[in-house]
Amino acid sequence: MSFQALVINKTDTGVHAAMETLEADRLPAGDVTVAVEHSTLNYKDGLCLTGQGGLVREYPHVAGIDFAGTVETSADSRYQPGQKVVLTGWRVGEARWGGYAQKARVQGDWLVPLPDGLSTRQAMAVGTAGFTAMLAVMALEQHGLQKNDKEVLVTGAAGGVGSVATAILSRLGYPVAAVTGRPETEPYLRELGAQRIVPRDAFAGPGKPLEKEQWAGCVDAVGGSMLARVLAQICYGGSVAAVGLAGGNQLDTTVIPFLLRGVNLLGIDSVMRPYADRVQAWQRIASDLPMDLLESMVEEVELADLPAWGTRILEGGVRGRVVVNING
């Protein structure tokens, strides 16, 4: 049976993505075939769509690092036709064909049953970014994050991970300080629950090995020099969950915050996360993420719109979450 897909090809003139009609025998090997209903746009997808970052090694390629839909056929006893499922990570959409198509074929180990109460559209409004944000919040809690008068900092707060992290932390009762370099996003961030907006410039320039203790914890999507400054400002015993590198992959800091304040730097990987952790995180998302606020983060696009949006997300022009309606 034929299906529509956004296929990326590489030619002498560069990398180009266009809609194509494919036959089912073009799908890669796998034990579960999913009728994809929704996907999302992430930074990695922007890299794949534009041929940057070296993520795609073989062409033609179908990007889309996450998707949600309905099982069509399954050789895995855990999944039955008609069941709703969600996929994030496992290098799907990078090394393997992903969710920017009406059909996807993957290994059952990479899927998670969609929690009750979540639609496939809502699951992709959460997507990899929201899944990563939930893992970061869980890691902070596991390392002793407490509700008190100290704020939890979220950097890159208007982006996909930051938006969901802000909403979850606020819903759980933590006072949230949101960092953004776009002043126009302040109303949006306050709607998500941020109690205070911190301009990105507040972290500009080099800091001291230790600065005033300000933050009970942090979800950091920026990295680079901002992360170095944040580490020096975390309260005694607090933690930073590092989830991104929008500000660079170098970390020029000292061991002083770790030695004198017992600060923890927690690396958050969502790509190869074990199955049990994935199930727990999605269950927490279903219970702890306010779905009314989730909708305020969402802009919906169609498959054919994605080449332009891929460039846009790399230029920092995307706020919140972009949901791809595969059959729209």
Side-chain angles (χ1 to χ4, degrees):
M1 182 180 294
S2 62
F3 62 96
Q4 292 291 301
L6 182 68
V7 180
I8 306 170
N9 284 286
K10 187 175 184 179
T11 68
D12 292 340
T13 59
V15 172
H16 309 278
M19 295 297 297
E20 294 186 19
T21 300
L22 304 178
E23 298 300 321
D25 60 7
R26 294 285 303 278
L27 290 169
D31 48 21
V32 182
T33 301
V34 178
V36 181
E37 297 168 15
H38 292 92
S39 185
T40 65
L41 177 70
N42 301 278
Y43 194 85
K44 281 185 177 180
D45 296 314
L47 293 173
C48 294
L49 288 166
T50 58
Q52 301 181 49
L55 297 180
V56 180
R57 302 297 177 89
E58 296 184 8
Y59 294 90
H61 181 69
V62 175
I65 68 169
D66 46 19
F67 63 79
T70 302
V71 173
E72 280 195 343
T73 62
S74 175
D76 186 315
S77 61
R78 292 171 293 181
Y79 301 101
Q80 306 301 320
Q83 184 177 3
K84 299 292 185 181
V85 291
V86 59
L87 180 144
T88 63
W90 297 108
R91 299 206 66 203
V92 170
E94 302 174 50
R96 306 173 178 93
W97 279 22
Y100 289 169
Q102 291 177 322
K103 294 185 187 296
R105 185 175 292 145
V106 297
Q107 300 300 325
D109 286 341
W110 305 341
L111 296 168
V112 173
L114 191 66
D116 293 340
L118 278 185
S119 67
T120 58
R121 185 181 187 278
Q122 288 173 325
M124 287 297 97
V126 176
T128 293
F131 173 66
T132 304
M134 188 73 250
L135 291 175
V137 172
M138 290 166 57
L140 291 177
E141 291 176 335
Q142 290 162 5
H143 284 80
L145 183 65
Q146 300 292 321
K147 297 183 181 73
N148 52 43
D149 59 347
K150 292 294 186 180
E151 296 164 313
V152 180
L153 191 70
V154 178
T155 69
V161 176
S163 293
V164 180
T166 298
I168 291 173
L169 287 164
S170 177
R171 173 67 172 267
L172 293 173
Y174 296 100
V176 178
V179 181
T180 181
R182 294 180 277 171
E184 68 276 11
T185 63
E186 179 172 347
Y188 165 74
L189 292 170
R190 291 196 180 279
E191 183 181 357
L192 295 182
Q195 294 187 5
R196 184 157 67 101
I197 308 300
V198 183
R200 184 169 57 201
D201 290 347
F203 296 91
K208 300 176 181 179
L210 283 182
E211 300 184 33
K212 179 182 176 181
E213 296 181 53
Q214 297 189 60
W215 321 112
C218 175
V219 176
D220 174 59
V222 176
S225 60
M226 183 176 291
L227 175 55
R229 291 291 303 275
V230 170
L231 287 168
Q233 298 174 5
I234 295 292
C235 295
Y236 187 92
S239 301
V240 177
V243 301
L245 42 68
N249 61 7
Q250 297 297 314
L251 183 58
D252 184 10
T253 187
T254 76
V255 298
I256 300 300
F258 310 117
L259 301 181
L260 298 188
R261 288 187 181 159
V263 169
N264 305 296
L265 179 57
L266 312 174
I268 306 300
D269 167 63
S270 64
V271 176
M272 307 301 291
R273 201 74 175 199
Y275 178 80
D277 289 354
R278 291 174 181 271
V279 171
Q280 181 184 8
W282 278 103
Q283 290 173 341
R284 286 287 304 272
I285 286 166
S287 63
D288 294 343
L289 179 59
M291 292 301 158
D292 54 337
L293 292 183
L294 181 66
E295 186 60 35
S296 72
M297 306 179 199
V298 172
E299 183 154 4
E300 185 171 307
V301 302
E302 299 180 5
L303 267 179
D305 301 324
L306 284 172
W309 277 88
T311 300
R312 186 171 173 180
I313 196 170
L314 296 183
E315 294 174 346
V318 173
R319 187 198 77 173
R321 304 288 296 128
V322 177
V323 171
V324 185
N325 185 345
I326 299 298
N327 300 303

